[in-house]
Each structure stands twice: as structure tokens, then as C-alpha cells.
């Protein structure tokens, strides 16, 4: 975290045990930050390792190798700021001590998976592990990302928005016919629609969603989609916190009397969220 007028800071540690530390005692100047930005831009252009993922008035995001570099400047921010993020850990699915029951589910039935959790909890790391797992099981895997910063095997093609839109990218992706698509950061209303369209077209989908609780991630779909459609689109919610799988939920559509009601003629279709384990 480098900002003009402030001592550079770094978050050290792993998900669940980060600490913010000062890097030296010198305050960053605007001139030094402008030099750093120039170096980053030239290095990414000349090395071929860098791509400009987002470019807006006052904001630029560059993916340089494994580093995601977000640069902001006035009028968007009140001063020049550079935030550089890199993956701190690479895990396989076995490192998460996944139960046999969940492993069996991921190997076959789960095709509408949501990985949810608070920011910095390790959702993208788990998504990368899942991509590796699917590749090892002879599946064609693609990703939708902006910026493209998932650490995935070479066999996985990483797609960004086509002409600024994931909706346009869907047309191409459906011709490519992947078995699974990992959608990193499902945030805006259009993202939920794209996720749903691809899932209903028969593509296995894994979505990464910011949420403070597992049910919040389902709540994000409610209101954007018809309630009865949700179990056709989602079947498994995996909640990650502090780099570990904390909860797994199963989603079903069933007809029964809602909890708390007793009259049998009150039966109706319900979306049921169950503890998977």
C-alpha cells in the first residue's frame, strides 16, 4: 500500500492472520510514485508479462506476472496511490481437508457452485485449487476474470470481458464448450445474469461472491432471479473464512409446509438450504 504523503505499508501473513507493517520511515512523494508507475508500465510492456486489465480516467489495473497492481490518481482518489497484491499461498484441494462426501459431490453432481466469504478470506485461492482439480479429472476449464489474477494451470484459458462486457464473452464461450467456467467476482446485476445464462445452458459454473455469511451469497441471487429458478442454477455453497472451508450448504427445491406452519394445505414450493455435511 503506497500512497503519496504516507509511509509505505504492507500486509504480511496469510488469510486469517494478517498484520499491517510499515516499510521504512520515509514518506512517499508524488514524484517517487510517478517514477514507480512509469517503471511498472515500461516493464509490463517490454517484458510481455504484463497486461492492462482495466484502464479508466483516474484508475489503472495492471496484471504483471502474479502481481495485481491497482493505480489510482486524482480526480478518482485524493492522491496518487499504488496497491500491489500477490498470492501468498498456493494450495491443492487436498490441503483443505475436504471430506469424502464433498469430494464426491465436486467430482460429479456439483455444477452450480458458489464460493463465498469476506474479502481476503482465500476464496480465489480455493477457486484456483478447484480449477486444478477439474483439469486433473480431464475437464475443459475456462475462467471469467477482471483482472485475470487467478493462479491456474496452463491448460485453463483465462478470459476477460469482451469489448468491456462478459455478456458478449458468453457467446464465444458457449462455442468453446467448456465443462466448467470459474467466474471470479460475481458482483453486478449483469454478472448474476451471465452466471445464470451459462448455468442454464448446461455449463458447470463456479462463482466467487463476496459475502459475510453463506446465506448472504444466496440472498444476492434473490431479487435478481426468479426464486424458483435458484435451485436450478445453484446447488452447492462453499463458505471460506480465514483460508479454510467453514460451511458447505446444499440447495434444493421441494414442496412442503414452511417451518413454523402446521396446516397441511399450506404446502408450497420452497427453496431449502441444508447443511451439506
Amino acid at each position: 500500500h503506497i500512497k503519496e504523503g504516507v509511509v509505505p505499508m504492507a500486509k504480511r501473513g496469510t488469510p486469517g492472520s494478517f498484520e499491517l507493517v510499515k516499510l521504512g520511515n520515509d514518506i512517499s512523494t508524488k514524484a517517487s510514485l510517478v517514477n514507480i508507475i512509469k517503471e511498472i508500465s515500461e516493464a509490463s510492456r517490454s517484458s510481455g508479462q504484463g497486461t492492462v486489465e482495466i484502464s479508466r480516467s483516474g484508475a489503472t489495473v495492471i496484471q504483471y506476472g502474479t502481481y495485481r497492481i491497482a493505480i489510482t490518481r486524482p480526480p478518482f482518489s485524493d492522491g496518487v496511490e499504488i496497491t500491489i497484491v500477490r498470492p501468498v499461498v498456493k494450495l491443492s484441494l487436498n490441503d483443505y481437508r475436504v471430506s469424502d462426501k464433498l469430494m464426491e459431490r465436486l467430482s460429479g453432481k456439483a455444477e452450480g457452485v458458489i464460493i463465498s466469504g469476506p474479502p481476503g478470506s482465500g476464496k480465489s485461492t480455493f477457486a484456483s485449487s478447484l480449477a486444478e482439480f477439474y483439469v486433473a479429472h480431464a475437464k475443459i476449464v475456462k475462467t471469467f476474470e477482471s483482472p485475470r489474477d487467478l493462479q491456474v494451470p496452463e491448460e485453463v484459458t483465462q478470459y476477460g470481458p469482451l469489448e468491456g462486457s462478459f455478456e458478449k464473452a458468453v457467446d464465444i464461450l458457449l462455442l468453446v464448450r467448456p465443462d466448467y467456467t470459474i467466474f471470479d467476482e460475481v458482483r453486478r446485476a449483469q454478472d448474476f445474469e451471465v452466471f445464470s445464462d451459462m448455468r442454464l445452458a448446461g455449463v458447470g459454473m463456479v462463482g466467487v461472491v463476496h459475502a459475510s455469511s453463506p446465506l448472504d451469497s444466496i440472498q444476492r441471487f434473490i431479487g435478481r432471479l426468479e426464486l424458483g429458478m435458484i435451485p436450478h442454477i445453484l446447488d452447492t455453497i462453499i463458505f471460506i473464512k480465514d483460508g479454510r472451508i467453514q460451511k458447505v450448504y446444499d440447495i434444493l427445491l421441494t414442496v412442503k409446509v414452511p417451518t413454523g406452519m402446521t396446516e397441511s394445505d399450506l404446502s408450497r414450493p420452497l427453496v431449502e438450504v441444508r447443511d451439506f455435511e
Side-chain angles (χ1 to χ4, degrees):
H1 297 267
I2 314 168
K3 185 182 177 186
E4 62 173 290
V6 182
V7 172
M9 308 286 276
K11 264 187 184 174
R12 283 194 180 146
T14 53
S17 60
F18 282 119
E19 61 167 339
L20 196 61
V21 295
K22 284 185 178 181
L23 303 178
N25 299 309
D26 297 338
I27 286 173
S28 303
T29 63
K30 185 174 181 177
S32 67
L33 263 71
V34 167
N35 275 336
I36 291 171
I37 292 167
K38 196 193 275 183
E39 279 185 31
I40 290 167
S41 302
E42 286 175 4
S44 59
R45 193 167 50 245
S46 62
S47 69
Q49 285 187 46
T51 52
V52 177
E53 298 285 323
I54 298 169
S55 181
R56 306 261 198 292
S57 174
T60 308
V61 177
I62 294 172
Q63 186 68 33
Y64 182 76
T66 60
Y67 294 88
R68 183 177 72 215
I69 304 160
I71 300 161
T72 64
R73 52 180 82 79
F76 175 56
S77 58
D78 63 347
V80 179
E81 183 182 41
I82 306 169
T83 308
I84 304 171
V85 181
R86 70 176 176 85
V88 290
V89 66
K90 191 174 190 314
L91 301 172
S92 74
L93 217 51
N94 294 329
D95 296 318
Y96 288 91
R97 296 180 189 159
V98 176
S99 69
D100 292 343
K101 190 180 178 188
L102 180 56
M103 198 64 107
E104 193 181 321
R105 174 71 170 243
L106 293 172
S107 302
K109 278 173 79 177
E111 296 211 314
V113 180
I114 287 292
I115 300 167
S116 66
S121 56
K123 299 184 297 297
S124 294
T125 305
F126 182 74
S128 302
S129 308
L130 207 49
E132 213 165 85
F133 173 76
Y134 288 137
V135 168
H137 282 71
K139 303 288 185 191
I140 299 289
V141 183
K142 310 292 179 191
T143 72
F144 266 5
E145 304 168 66
S146 179
R148 289 166 292 184
D149 59 354
L150 285 182
Q151 304 303 300
V152 290
E154 281 296 320
E155 294 90 338
V156 178
T157 306
Q158 296 172 272
Y159 292 105
L162 182 61
E163 295 179 355
S165 162
F166 279 123
E167 287 162 309
K168 290 178 181 174
V170 169
D171 299 337
I172 306 300
L173 204 68
L174 289 176
L175 298 175
V176 176
R177 297 189 179 180
D179 296 308
Y180 287 92
T181 299
I182 293 172
F183 199 148
D184 194 25
E185 302 293 341
V186 182
R187 263 196 316 263
R188 294 165 296 187
Q190 300 100 303
D191 296 344
F192 287 92
E193 284 169 25
V194 165
F195 186 95
S196 310
D197 283 349
M198 291 187 65
R199 181 66 206 98
L200 293 171
V203 178
M205 294 297 291
V206 178
V208 177
V209 176
H210 282 309
S212 53
S213 79
L215 293 180
D216 281 355
S217 49
I218 304 170
Q219 203 73 41
R220 304 280 290 274
F221 281 84
I222 295 171
R224 291 183 169 95
L225 305 172
E226 197 182 316
L227 192 64
M229 291 302 292
I230 288 176
H232 298 290
I233 293 160
L234 307 180
D235 53 41
T236 312
I237 305 282
I238 299 171
F239 188 70
I240 306 279
K241 197 168 185 193
D242 299 340
R244 295 195 314 271
I245 297 175
Q246 202 173 63
K247 272 282 183 192
V248 182
Y249 285 99
D250 207 1
I251 301 173
L252 312 161
L253 186 64
T254 183
V255 177
K256 65 173 213 174
V257 178
T259 307
M261 297 183 182
T262 53
E263 300 296 323
S264 58
D265 60 352
L266 292 174
S267 291
R268 62 195 68 187
L270 297 175
V271 174
E272 200 168 59
V273 183
R274 293 169 170 262
D275 187 319
F276 177 73
E277 296 293 350

